[in-house]
Amino acid sequence: MFDRTRSLRASAALTSIALLAGCGVLTEDSAKAGSMITVGTTSKPSTLDPAGAWDGSWELYRNVFQTLLSYPTGSSAPAPDAARTCNFADKTHRVFECELKPGLAFSDGAKLDAAAVKHSIERIVRIKAQGGPGELLSSLGKIETQGSDKVAFHLNKPDATFPFVLATPGMSLVSPKAYPADRLRDDNALTGSGPYTLQAYRPKGADAAAELVRNETYNGFADRRNNAVTIRYFDDSAKMVKALENKEIDATFRGLTAEQIVDLEEKSTGPVKVIETPGSEIHYLVFNPRDPNSAKPAVRKAIAHLVDRPALVEKVFKGTAEPLYSMVPRGIAGHTTDFFDRYGEPDAKAARKVLREAGITAPVKMTFWYTTDRYGSSTALEFAELKRQLEASGLFSITLEGLPWEQFQVGVQKGAYPVFGRGWAPDYPDADSFVAPFVGERNAISTPYKVPEITNDLLPKSRVEVDRKRSTPFFVRAQKILMEDVRLLPLWQGKMYVAASQEIGGTERALDPQTVMQVWELYRKTSW
């Protein structure tokens, strides 16, 4: 039996990824300076405008835009990118100042100066796009510019996580000439200052892709090891694997099913290698309180009593994921197992009792919605297993509905689904990134969730702590509150996999702490 843990031995750090070793006559020292790489994924952007997306669109943004701060390869802490320096200017952590590098410019020739930074961040707040990153800026009061190269962010409350926020692709800097201040750009084009420029974008069809070419005016930390990258968007992971095996693409990221990962790993002597790394991406159910059944705590708690995570992981993911019993995943400081502690093993009798005490005697009819392509083909199998588990109790009758991501996201933003599945990769490697995005009137799930104790007490107290370990007690309490409400039901935590041709190097450096692929690290090996 192959050893699925073999590639974890090099490092347990969040940003690490096991080394894809060359073999035979291939060598990393002989990378072609002008090579082009093709990467496949099932994670297509929902919009090309950073002000409109708080989702996997960030995977593209990281490679075409700059942010004031970012994560240099191998780092788990934000460091200057478009900025030359950034720091808190006061001891209360309410004024954060950045000085820009000189001579920065966008690909349309506009200056990337303090005014452009102010424009980029303020439009996020002004537009307030549904499903956009605006809630990440909840602590922002106002922005002041000091000449052309200095920006001061005045916060309305202490926030030690603000540098992490500025390092997310949601805070991508955009050209004032190309991006309106009060609405999203909608022409399927983008203008940034990152490592690559977008030469062409095809959002639909069998040839859906983003074609990236080296940005010759780029001034940042990325050491590009190729000249161009094409990111192909697949609606089916089987097609993506076939393209990889046929050498139509060089690597894949996101979307492989468990069966495909296992199959590729067992072919370890073949032309494709699978690289595994610890992951912090979580998957969960969202209960929409607008729906009469989802609004009932008894219904949500009964489902919590019935979901069998170990069976789900074993049947659907075959060891490529692990059960998750809290919204903060294992490996992140502050992780708890509250759902296991309260609900333990699946218990139909306990679920029945909860429903009966609430006066619910007939089987509860509900519709569960999921995206058919965003997280790979395994999602349909996952929801089929959830349906089986709930209906086996005789307490529920579940209808399943799946839609492609673009259509699915529209329904999420309209609050149209009573129950739906989502995945979440962290904005930054901190428990804050697994709690704050989901609460408040406007949040990442587009379903208002008012929890005053969390938003008004626990989060503010946690954000005073620069030493993030000291914030752990606040997140332990927040997770207990989330467990008691069961508005969000954590299901499983994924591991990260990259499948790549033996000819491709750099995969060991390709993922940042937000599990976003930095495609500039990939290169094509050549023979001696």
Side-chain angles (χ1 to χ4, degrees):
M1 189 69 173
F2 65 91
D3 178 10
R4 191 176 286 120
T5 65
R6 65 188 182 276
S7 56
L8 297 180
R9 295 167 186 156
S11 174
L14 176 66
T15 57
S16 69
I17 186 165
L19 179 63
L20 172 60
C23 65
V25 296
L26 298 178
T27 171
E28 295 185 8
D29 295 330
S30 52
K32 285 183 179 179
S35 62
M36 190 188 89
I37 305 294
T38 302
V39 176
T41 181
T42 61
S43 184
K44 187 176 70 174
S46 57
T47 172
L48 295 188
D49 190 329
W54 195 357
D55 57 29
S57 305
W58 288 10
E59 293 165 7
L60 176 62
Y61 300 166
R62 175 59 78 207
N63 295 284
V64 294
F65 293 107
Q66 281 184 288
T67 44
L68 287 171
L69 299 164
S70 189
Y71 293 94
T73 301
S75 171
S76 59
D81 184 7
R84 181 160 61 185
T85 61
C86 284
N87 54 68
F88 279 104
D90 65 334
K91 294 182 179 180
T92 63
H93 306 106
R94 295 187 61 170
V95 180
F96 192 73
E97 296 181 341
C98 291
E99 181 180 349
L100 295 172
K101 293 176 181 176
L104 294 176
F106 295 102
S107 57
D108 63 354
K111 291 182 178 180
L112 200 175
D113 55 13
V117 172
K118 188 173 189 289
H119 170 83
S120 299
I121 305 302
E122 285 186 340
R123 69 186 294 269
I124 296 172
V125 178
R126 184 178 296 112
I127 293 171
K128 295 181 180 178
Q130 188 79 357
E135 276 303 306
L136 286 170
L137 295 169
S138 61
S139 64
L140 179 61
K142 64 178 181 179
I143 305 174
E144 290 183 340
T145 60
Q146 301 169 11
S148 63
D149 62 346
K150 292 183 180 180
V151 184
F153 299 90
H154 295 267
L155 309 182
N156 52 38
K157 52 192 172 185
D159 188 358
T161 70
F162 193 72
F164 292 92
V165 170
L166 290 181
T168 69
M171 302 299 117
S172 294
L173 304 177
V174 299
S175 169
K177 289 172 54 177
Y179 291 83
D182 57 357
R183 60 182 173 83
L184 296 177
R185 181 176 177 177
D186 59 3
D187 60 353
N188 273 341
L190 58 81
T191 308
S193 61
Y196 300 91
T197 58
L198 182 67
Q199 187 176 53
Y201 181 65
R202 298 180 296 277
K204 298 180 180 180
D207 64 343
E211 296 181 6
L212 312 182
V213 296
R214 180 187 289 252
N215 179 6
E216 298 301 337
T217 63
Y218 169 67
N219 178 10
F221 66 81
D223 181 14
R224 294 161 295 184
R225 309 191 74 182
N226 56 67
N227 274 353
V229 177
T230 294
I231 303 174
R232 286 187 55 186
Y233 299 111
F234 291 84
D235 59 5
D236 183 88
S237 55
K239 297 176 183 177
M240 184 169 67
V241 171
K242 184 176 180 181
L244 178 64
E245 294 181 327
N246 291 342
K247 295 189 175 183
E248 297 169 13
I249 60 177
D250 300 302
T252 69
F253 181 57
R254 294 201 191 280
L256 294 175
T257 67
E259 290 83 358
Q260 290 160 349
I261 292 168
V262 170
D263 181 58
L264 289 171
E265 285 191 310
E266 288 180 332
K267 297 176 182 177
S268 58
T269 58
V272 175
K273 285 285 187 179
V274 177
I275 305 93
E276 175 188 308
T277 182
S280 56
E281 181 173 332
I282 65 171
H283 287 251
Y284 56 96
L285 291 179
V286 180
F287 293 93
N288 188 342
R290 297 177 183 174
D291 176 74
N293 283 327
S294 288
K296 297 174 182 177
V299 170
R300 304 194 300 264
K301 291 177 181 179
I303 292 175
H305 274 298
L306 293 172
V307 171
D308 188 339
R309 294 172 180 80
L312 177 70
V313 167
E314 177 57 31
K315 291 183 179 181
V316 178
F317 301 104
K318 304 185 185 304
T320 62
E322 57 184 299
L324 180 64
Y325 296 97
S326 179
M327 290 299 288
V328 177
R330 190 169 66 85
I332 298 294
H335 164 69
T336 68
T337 56
D338 284 325
F339 275 89
F340 183 83
D341 299 339
R342 170 65 60 86
Y343 295 100
E345 300 294 336
D347 189 338
K349 290 183 179 180
R352 185 181 301 275
K353 180 180 179 182
V354 168
L355 292 174
R356 296 299 180 262
E357 289 178 348
I360 302 171
T361 57
V364 180
K365 295 182 179 180
M366 304 186 79
T367 301
F368 284 22
W369 290 77
Y370 64 93
T371 175
T372 56
D373 54 358
R374 185 65 168 185
Y375 310 116
S377 305
S378 293
T379 309
L381 302 175
E382 173 188 356
F383 275 75
E385 172 60 15
L386 288 172
K387 171 183 169 71
R388 186 198 67 76
Q389 292 180 7
L390 297 180
E391 291 186 339
S393 69
L395 302 174
F396 288 88
S397 176
I398 305 297
T399 299
L400 300 180
E401 295 286 352
L403 287 173
W405 174 256
E406 190 172 326
Q407 295 171 261
F408 174 80
Q409 186 70 348
V410 171
V412 169
Q413 293 174 358
K414 291 181 177 179
Y417 308 141
V419 185
F420 58 95
R422 287 292 298 266
W424 180 257
D427 299 324
Y428 39 87
D430 189 281
D432 185 278
S433 188
F434 293 94
V435 174
F438 304 110
V439 295
E441 182 67 30
R442 298 177 64 85
N443 54 46
I445 54 176
S446 301
T447 303
Y449 185 15
K450 296 181 180 180
V451 197
E453 184 179 352
I454 294 179
T455 55
N456 300 339
D457 182 41
L458 298 175
L459 287 176
K461 287 179 178 176
S462 74
R463 289 174 175 174
V464 173
E465 304 294 345
V466 177
D467 180 355
R468 299 307 292 158
K469 293 179 182 178
R470 295 171 61 92
S471 69
T472 293
F474 305 116
F475 292 110
V476 169
R477 171 59 186 158
Q479 289 170 85
K480 188 170 290 294
I481 294 171
L482 297 178
M483 177 274 296
E484 291 169 348
D485 287 350
V486 200
R487 280 281 309 280
L488 304 165
L489 184 64
L491 296 174
W492 54 274
Q493 174 178 350
K495 301 174 185 177
M496 304 305 299
Y497 293 88
V498 175
S501 164
Q502 291 274 16
E503 299 174 358
I504 300 301
T507 53
E508 74 281 2
R509 295 166 59 85
L511 298 184
D512 75 359
Q514 298 154 324
T515 65
V516 170
M517 179 172 275
Q518 302 172 145
V519 298
W520 61 79
E521 293 288 351
L522 302 178
Y523 63 90
R524 191 176 305 282
K525 301 174 184 177
T526 60
S527 64
W528 292 336

